Amino acid sequence: MNVLLVYPRYPDSFWSFRHALKFVGKKAAFPPLGLLTVAALFPETWETRLIDQNVRDVTDPDLTWADMVFVSAMTIQRDAVRDILARCRRLGVTTVAGGPLFTTAPEDFPEADHLVLGEAELTLPPFLDDLARGCAQRTYTASGRADLALTPLPRWELLDTRDYAAMNIQYSRGCPFDCEFCDITQLFGRAPRTKSVEQLTAELDALHTRGWKGGVFFVDDNFIGDRNKLKRELLPTIIAWQEGHGRPFSFFTESSIDLADDHQLMSLMVRAGFTEVFVGIETPHDEGLGESGKVQNQNRDLLESVKRIQRAGLQVQGGFIVGFDSDPASIFEKQIRFIQESGIVTAMVGMLTALRGTRLHQRLAEEGRLLRDASGNNTAIALNFVPRMPVDTLIDGYRQILKGIYAPRPYYRRVVTFLKEYRTPPGGFQPNPAHLRAFFTSILFLGVIGRERFQFWKLFVWSLVRRPRLFPLAITLAIYGFHFRKVAESISASGMFEGKECAE
């Protein structure tokens, strides 16, 4: 059987890094790890190809070559998914759909021939067995959670790693916390499940064998969900592996804010090569934290927690939300002040979104406040529920935040705030050809023709004189700022969000 795996195109968004990728000559930020893993579950006799639409488009000859097209996607890729499914139906090609988008809303995709939902380790084998017997059903679901010992090594040979800015691997699934707006616990549960250290080492070996050097994203929902196992087994293993291979990788991941309470864990992560963590901070307003069930963020000094993580040698990327029922009119200024004072350079601020499967979605449905399905892009002006705050106030305040943190002057000021706090990682930053290309491209686009050129050269000189070992990071953050500003300007320039009359 000829099988084509298709990863649909992302729209331009905060996490696409589309405007930054041209500085390093890459086509996409991360490869489709889920599809690479699914491919490893296929029969060995199948001829398998993968096309990531974020790298190149899918042609009709690509589709007609295949006996079956597998599509996996998240909510933000909905529009591209519909296009692929419609083209396959027109060409008479059988489609198999899976991933978070289809798992949370299977009834929305009648055009898909087969739906293999939930975790592939549980639902794909029964589908493949039925397919071999000629009696494949339309929908496959499973109760319970997958044993990650069953998760195979991703098939990296299906793509060209040179197209991507970073690689990604997964160690665990699930999160011990249950925030009202988050769908992770619905998809993967609250009890963290992990791979063995042998599995993880094999994945590192596979990337190293393919010649990869650079960033590797641990896509775990909350990397520190099982911190005892991390400290006892995984991190010491990664430290030894890195030292034995010349430290080819730098890692980044997602974590809850209580990482700041565990100095030993932070120290081990830094020694293992972790340089960044994404933390869901959401809001400096305590009532908003209580409303959303963000218990791990309550009763703590959030600003000091961020500083502790930075001082340990980990850059904090932060997620922030406006639109909680309890948000006061002053929330927008409070968010700007917190972000600037914390030195969180990569601050993703979005309006609250009610995703299917979340407790928030259920509550708003019961209150009759839902308007439509979420777009999946939480940094777009696209409310899908009726907020308590007047709609115009919320939208104007959101735009105020974007301008207040991503205009060149406040952004570069925040970079300096961070660099003053941050500890240089062990071994410093190792330059590679992509870094050198980014450096020279940044001088042209940011230092010569960019509107931020004054701030760029000010940071350039400051970092060379005051923090020379962090100079490569300073240039990287300047490039990130270019992307964030482009996205922020696009959001701010967009018209009133659709359905505003219904909200009012």
Side-chain angles (χ1 to χ4, degrees), residues 86-143:
R87 289 172 60 191
C88 287
R89 174 146 292 198
R90 174 172 56 83
L91 295 168
V93 181
T94 301
T95 53
V96 183
L101 170 63
F102 303 98
T103 297
T104 56
E107 66 278 8
D108 287 356
F109 299 94
E111 62 269 46
D113 295 303
H114 302 281
L115 294 168
V116 181
L117 308 177
E119 298 180 89
E121 294 91 344
L122 296 178
T123 53
L124 187 59
F127 168 72
L128 296 177
D129 290 343
D130 288 350
L131 186 67
R133 292 197 300 266
C135 58
Q137 303 173 41
R138 182 169 189 271
T139 303
Y140 289 80
T141 60
S143 57

Side-chain angles (χ1 to χ4, degrees), residues 24-309:
V24 291
K26 303 296 182 180
K27 297 177 181 179
F30 306 108
L33 181 63
L35 284 177
L36 293 171
T37 306
V38 164
L41 294 167
F42 289 164
E44 293 183 1
T45 56
W46 285 12
E47 178 71 23
T48 305
R49 297 178 183 174
L50 182 147
I51 296 179
D52 180 354
Q53 278 195 298
N54 301 285
V55 171
R56 81 167 180 88
D57 206 358
V58 180
T59 65
D60 282 355
D62 290 325
L63 297 174
T64 55
W65 167 86
D67 298 306
M68 191 170 288
V69 171
F70 280 70
V71 181
S72 178
M74 294 187 288
T75 304
I76 195 173
Q77 296 162 287
R78 183 189 300 268
D79 290 343
V81 161
R82 292 203 181 282
D83 176 67
I84 290 294
L85 293 178
R87 289 172 60 191
C88 287
R89 174 146 292 198
R90 174 172 56 83
L91 295 168
V93 181
T94 301
T95 53
V96 183
L101 170 63
F102 303 98
T103 297
T104 56
E107 66 278 8
D108 287 356
F109 299 94
E111 62 269 46
D113 295 303
H114 302 281
L115 294 168
V116 181
L117 308 177
E119 298 180 89
E121 294 91 344
L122 296 178
T123 53
L124 187 59
F127 168 72
L128 296 177
D129 290 343
D130 288 350
L131 186 67
R133 292 197 300 266
C135 58
Q137 303 173 41
R138 182 169 189 271
T139 303
Y140 289 80
T141 60
S143 57
R145 305 293 179 186
D147 179 357
L148 297 197
L150 303 175
T151 304
L153 195 69
R155 290 187 58 185
W156 295 107
E157 74 275 9
L158 293 177
L159 52 77
D160 189 341
T161 57
R162 294 173 298 181
D163 290 332
Y164 297 91
M167 292 294 103
N168 43 16
I169 58 178
Q170 184 181 59
Y171 166 64
S172 68
R173 293 179 196 163
C175 179
F177 303 107
D178 189 21
C179 305
E180 186 188 44
F181 54 82
C182 182
D183 62 354
I184 292 302
T185 54
Q186 185 256 345
L187 290 169
F188 299 121
R190 295 189 65 175
R193 293 164 287 137
T194 64
K195 294 178 180 176
S196 67
V197 292
E198 291 78 15
Q199 284 177 284
L200 207 286
T201 301
E203 296 196 25
L204 296 178
D205 287 337
L207 286 175
H208 188 256
T209 299
R210 297 195 65 81
W212 180 257
K213 291 185 178 180
V216 176
F217 177 33
F218 275 76
V219 301
D220 302 29
D221 312 306
N222 187 349
F223 182 68
I224 68 169
D226 187 345
R227 63 177 66 193
N228 290 328
K229 188 173 182 180
L230 279 180
K231 291 189 284 188
R232 184 179 65 252
E233 298 179 14
L234 183 71
L235 291 174
T237 299
I238 295 179
I239 291 170
W241 190 94
Q242 287 269 67
E243 292 174 350
H245 292 79
R247 304 186 71 85
F249 302 148
S250 60
F251 301 114
F252 46 109
T253 190
E254 304 175 44
S255 165
S256 45
I257 191 69
D258 52 328
L259 172 64
D261 305 332
D262 196 326
H263 180 76
Q264 180 192 11
L265 179 56
M266 290 190 290
S267 177
L268 286 170
M269 288 177 65
V270 171
R271 287 176 56 199
F274 284 84
T275 59
E276 304 171 37
V277 290
F278 177 86
V279 177
I281 294 171
E282 320 315 351
T283 177
H285 184 57
D286 199 61
E287 288 185 34
L289 297 174
E291 171 191 331
S292 61
K294 198 84 179 181
V295 295
Q296 65 272 32
N297 288 30
Q298 290 185 288
N299 303 315
R300 69 166 59 242
D301 185 334
L302 286 172
L303 190 61
E304 176 56 28
S305 294
V306 170
K307 297 290 186 182
R308 281 204 301 270
I309 297 173

